[in-house]
Amino acid sequence: MTPPSLRQLVTGAARVLGEAGVPSPEHDARALAAFALGVPRLLPGLEPEPPADFPARFAELVERRRSREPLQRIVGLTSFRFLEVEVADEVFVPRPETELVAEQAIVEAVRLRAAGVSPLVVDLCCGSGVIAVSVASEAPGSRVLAVDAAPQAVAATRATARRAGVEVDARTGDVRDPVLLSELDGRCDVVVANPPYIPPDAEPHDPEVRDHDPDLALYGGGTDGLEVPRAVVVAAVRLLRAGGLFVMEHAEVQAAAVRAELERTGVFDDVATHPDLTGRDRMVVARRTAGATRSRAEGGPDVEHSPS
Ligand SMILES: C[S@@+](CC[C@H](N)C(=O)[O-])C[C@H]1O[C@@H](n2cnc3c(N)ncnc32)[C@H](O)[C@@H]1O
């Protein structure tokens, strides 16, 4: 009997994945086949002749995806803006919507760099470090720090930076710590964060998220999921210099609550919600008032930028 062709195997796999409720079965079947063949992608009409052990290896990968293991965790890689990112166990898989959050920080850092300033950018709750490493790559000349409570995330951030060939100072720390990075109080140009923000009673529907992303990366704490995001705001108030930029991702339903949280501090101007690419309200952007920073208010020195 003639063995099934690559095309037949991929079509069969797509059907199996579709029946299991996988959202993009054809794409995933082709991606798994490419991974099993060791090529970046399958080009239609130019599919290589599969080796004899391909059907068995492919079937194993398809079975993992059928049981809703995320594609990125199976192939061990994902992409974010211009980065190729290794997907590590116990570390959140970065999402496309966060690319726009990173962009706000990048645009600000590039703007400052053009003005002769060496921007100091802090990524809180950094996970695999995609925001921090994107800033370091796309706004060269920035000094970038990244913090996460999970040591696996800090190790992943270092790996992402190494792979991209940039420097990011990645540290283990809890954003609820009132003295986290206190040596930088009133000195940061940008504080950016994609913290956990899911409320405790809103378990994600997708098994890929619910069963494979770490709980620490998903649930924000408190009854509304905003305990960690609130701590991020408190840290940003302390860390940002006057005129510094704050950017934070949140869930669509949290836009008004997050804006109110920032306005309540009394130290942010231009508090605005921004949409993601699908038009949903997914991030807040605000500027630390140009008035006194904490260090000035407390009699500390004015913060000078070091032109470079
Ligand atoms: C939604 S993930 C985002 C990761 C990354 N910023 C991204 O966009 O892909 C949230 C991250 O916050 C970290 N985290 C949760 N609670 C934290 C806390 N109290 N202090 C610091 N990091 C925390 C988690 O370990 C996780 O890596």
Side-chain angles (χ1 to χ4, degrees), residues 92 94 98 123 125-128 130-131 147-150 153 173-176 194-196 216-217 228:
F92 184 80
T98 309
D123 174 6
C125 301
C126 60
S128 59
V130 286
I131 300 176
V147 176
D148 201 286
D174 190 321
V175 290
R176 292 167 299 189
N194 175 19
L216 186 66
V228 177

Short mmCIF file of all heavy atoms in Angstrom, two decimals, residues 92 94 98 123 125-128 130-131 147-150 153 173-176 194-196 216-217 228, ligand 1:
data_model
loop_
_atom_site.label_atom_id
_atom_site.label_comp_id
_atom_site.label_asym_id
_atom_site.label_seq_id
_atom_site.Cartn_x
_atom_site.Cartn_y
_atom_site.Cartn_z
N PHE A 92 4.78 32.57 31.12
CA PHE A 92 3.67 33.02 30.28
C PHE A 92 4.09 33.14 28.81
O PHE A 92 5.16 33.65 28.50
CB PHE A 92 3.25 34.40 30.82
CG PHE A 92 2.06 35.02 30.17
CD1 PHE A 92 0.77 34.65 30.51
CD2 PHE A 92 2.22 36.04 29.22
CE1 PHE A 92 -0.33 35.25 29.93
CE2 PHE A 92 1.13 36.66 28.64
CZ PHE A 92 -0.15 36.25 28.99
N PRO A 94 3.94 35.04 25.50
CA PRO A 94 3.54 36.40 25.13
C PRO A 94 2.44 36.43 24.07
O PRO A 94 2.36 35.54 23.23
CB PRO A 94 4.83 37.02 24.58
CG PRO A 94 5.78 35.92 24.39
CD PRO A 94 5.35 34.74 25.20
N THR A 98 0.04 42.49 23.30
CA THR A 98 1.06 43.16 24.12
C THR A 98 2.09 43.87 23.24
O THR A 98 2.82 44.76 23.71
CB THR A 98 1.71 42.14 25.07
OG1 THR A 98 0.67 41.44 25.76
CG2 THR A 98 2.61 42.79 26.09
N ASP A 123 10.43 47.49 32.99
CA ASP A 123 9.33 46.58 32.63
C ASP A 123 8.99 45.77 33.89
O ASP A 123 9.80 44.95 34.33
CB ASP A 123 9.80 45.67 31.48
CG ASP A 123 8.80 44.58 31.11
OD1 ASP A 123 7.67 44.57 31.66
OD2 ASP A 123 9.16 43.73 30.26
N CYS A 125 6.74 42.98 35.95
CA CYS A 125 6.04 41.73 35.62
C CYS A 125 6.46 41.28 34.21
O CYS A 125 5.63 41.07 33.32
CB CYS A 125 4.54 41.91 35.70
SG CYS A 125 3.96 42.43 37.32
N CYS A 126 7.77 41.10 34.03
CA CYS A 126 8.34 40.99 32.68
C CYS A 126 8.11 39.64 31.99
O CYS A 126 8.28 39.55 30.77
CB CYS A 126 9.82 41.31 32.71
SG CYS A 126 10.78 40.20 33.78
N GLY A 127 7.78 38.57 32.72
CA GLY A 127 7.59 37.26 32.07
C GLY A 127 8.81 36.86 31.27
O GLY A 127 9.93 36.87 31.78
N SER A 128 8.61 36.56 29.97
CA SER A 128 9.74 36.16 29.13
C SER A 128 10.57 37.36 28.68
O SER A 128 11.51 37.19 27.90
CB SER A 128 9.24 35.39 27.91
OG SER A 128 8.36 36.22 27.18
N VAL A 130 9.64 40.03 26.87
CA VAL A 130 9.45 40.51 25.49
C VAL A 130 9.33 42.04 25.39
O VAL A 130 9.81 42.62 24.41
CB VAL A 130 8.23 39.83 24.81
CG1 VAL A 130 8.55 38.40 24.46
CG2 VAL A 130 6.98 39.93 25.68
N ILE A 131 8.71 42.67 26.40
CA ILE A 131 8.59 44.13 26.32
C ILE A 131 9.98 44.75 26.52
O ILE A 131 10.43 45.57 25.72
CB ILE A 131 7.59 44.67 27.38
CG1 ILE A 131 6.19 44.07 27.18
CG2 ILE A 131 7.55 46.19 27.34
CD1 ILE A 131 5.17 44.47 28.25
N VAL A 147 11.65 43.20 35.86
CA VAL A 147 11.45 42.55 37.17
C VAL A 147 10.30 41.57 37.08
O VAL A 147 9.26 41.86 36.47
CB VAL A 147 11.12 43.62 38.25
CG1 VAL A 147 10.81 42.96 39.58
CG2 VAL A 147 12.25 44.62 38.40
N ASP A 148 10.47 40.41 37.70
CA ASP A 148 9.36 39.46 37.82
C ASP A 148 9.51 38.71 39.14
O ASP A 148 10.62 38.50 39.62
CB ASP A 148 9.36 38.46 36.65
CG ASP A 148 8.00 37.81 36.45
OD1 ASP A 148 7.62 36.94 37.27
OD2 ASP A 148 7.29 38.19 35.48
N ALA A 149 8.37 38.31 39.69
CA ALA A 149 8.39 37.57 40.95
C ALA A 149 8.85 36.13 40.75
O ALA A 149 9.31 35.48 41.69
CB ALA A 149 7.00 37.60 41.59
N ALA A 150 8.71 35.60 39.54
CA ALA A 150 9.04 34.20 39.27
C ALA A 150 10.47 34.08 38.76
O ALA A 150 10.80 34.66 37.71
CB ALA A 150 8.07 33.62 38.25
N ALA A 153 10.80 33.25 35.14
CA ALA A 153 10.56 34.36 34.21
C ALA A 153 11.83 35.21 34.08
O ALA A 153 12.18 35.65 32.97
CB ALA A 153 9.38 35.21 34.69
N GLY A 173 11.84 40.07 41.77
CA GLY A 173 11.28 41.01 42.74
C GLY A 173 9.77 41.02 42.67
O GLY A 173 9.18 40.56 41.68
N ASP A 174 9.15 41.54 43.74
CA ASP A 174 7.69 41.58 43.83
C ASP A 174 7.25 43.03 43.71
O ASP A 174 7.74 43.88 44.47
CB ASP A 174 7.27 40.98 45.19
CG ASP A 174 5.77 40.75 45.27
OD1 ASP A 174 5.00 41.60 44.75
OD2 ASP A 174 5.37 39.74 45.85
N VAL A 175 6.34 43.31 42.79
CA VAL A 175 5.91 44.71 42.62
C VAL A 175 5.20 45.25 43.87
O VAL A 175 5.05 46.47 44.00
CB VAL A 175 4.98 44.91 41.39
CG1 VAL A 175 5.75 44.75 40.10
CG2 VAL A 175 3.77 44.02 41.42
N ARG A 176 4.81 44.36 44.77
CA ARG A 176 4.15 44.84 46.00
C ARG A 176 5.19 45.27 47.05
O ARG A 176 4.82 45.79 48.10
CB ARG A 176 3.23 43.75 46.56
CG ARG A 176 2.04 43.50 45.64
CD ARG A 176 1.30 42.26 45.99
NE ARG A 176 2.18 41.10 45.87
CZ ARG A 176 1.78 39.84 45.95
NH1 ARG A 176 0.51 39.58 46.14
NH2 ARG A 176 2.63 38.85 45.84
N ASN A 194 2.80 44.51 31.76
CA ASN A 194 1.65 43.65 31.46
C ASN A 194 1.53 42.69 32.64
O ASN A 194 2.06 41.59 32.60
CB ASN A 194 1.85 42.88 30.16
CG ASN A 194 0.71 41.89 29.92
OD1 ASN A 194 -0.37 42.02 30.52
ND2 ASN A 194 0.95 40.90 29.08
N PRO A 195 0.86 43.16 33.71
CA PRO A 195 0.79 42.34 34.92
C PRO A 195 -0.32 41.29 34.80
O PRO A 195 -1.11 41.34 33.85
CB PRO A 195 0.42 43.37 35.99
CG PRO A 195 -0.40 44.39 35.25
CD PRO A 195 0.13 44.43 33.84
N PRO A 196 -0.42 40.36 35.75
CA PRO A 196 -1.60 39.50 35.77
C PRO A 196 -2.80 40.35 36.17
O PRO A 196 -2.67 41.24 36.99
CB PRO A 196 -1.25 38.49 36.88
CG PRO A 196 -0.27 39.18 37.75
CD PRO A 196 0.48 40.14 36.88
N LEU A 216 0.25 32.38 38.48
CA LEU A 216 0.86 33.65 38.91
C LEU A 216 0.85 34.69 37.79
O LEU A 216 0.80 35.89 38.04
CB LEU A 216 2.32 33.39 39.36
CG LEU A 216 3.08 34.56 39.97
CD1 LEU A 216 2.47 34.98 41.31
CD2 LEU A 216 4.56 34.21 40.15
N ALA A 217 0.87 34.20 36.54
CA ALA A 217 0.89 35.12 35.40
C ALA A 217 -0.52 35.55 35.01
O ALA A 217 -0.69 36.51 34.26
CB ALA A 217 1.57 34.46 34.21
N VAL A 228 -2.51 43.20 41.87
CA VAL A 228 -1.14 43.38 41.34
C VAL A 228 -1.07 44.63 40.44
O VAL A 228 -0.15 45.44 40.60
CB VAL A 228 -0.63 42.10 40.63
CG1 VAL A 228 0.75 42.34 40.04
CG2 VAL A 228 -0.57 40.93 41.62
C1 LIG B 1 0.58 38.27 32.11
S1 LIG B 1 2.24 37.79 32.48
C2 LIG B 1 3.06 38.93 31.42
C3 LIG B 1 4.46 38.62 31.08
C4 LIG B 1 5.10 39.58 30.05
N1 LIG B 1 5.09 40.95 30.54
C5 LIG B 1 4.37 39.50 28.73
O1 LIG B 1 3.69 40.46 28.37
O2 LIG B 1 4.45 38.47 28.06
C6 LIG B 1 2.44 38.49 34.12
C7 LIG B 1 3.79 38.27 34.79
O3 LIG B 1 3.72 38.89 36.09
C8 LIG B 1 4.45 38.12 37.02
N2 LIG B 1 3.97 38.48 38.36
C9 LIG B 1 2.83 38.09 38.97
N3 LIG B 1 2.71 38.65 40.18
C10 LIG B 1 3.81 39.43 40.35
C11 LIG B 1 4.27 40.27 41.40
N4 LIG B 1 3.56 40.43 42.53
N5 LIG B 1 5.46 40.91 41.25
C12 LIG B 1 6.19 40.75 40.11
N6 LIG B 1 5.81 39.96 39.09
C13 LIG B 1 4.63 39.32 39.20
C14 LIG B 1 4.20 36.70 36.60
O4 LIG B 1 5.21 35.83 37.07
C15 LIG B 1 4.18 36.82 35.06
O5 LIG B 1 5.44 36.56 34.51
#
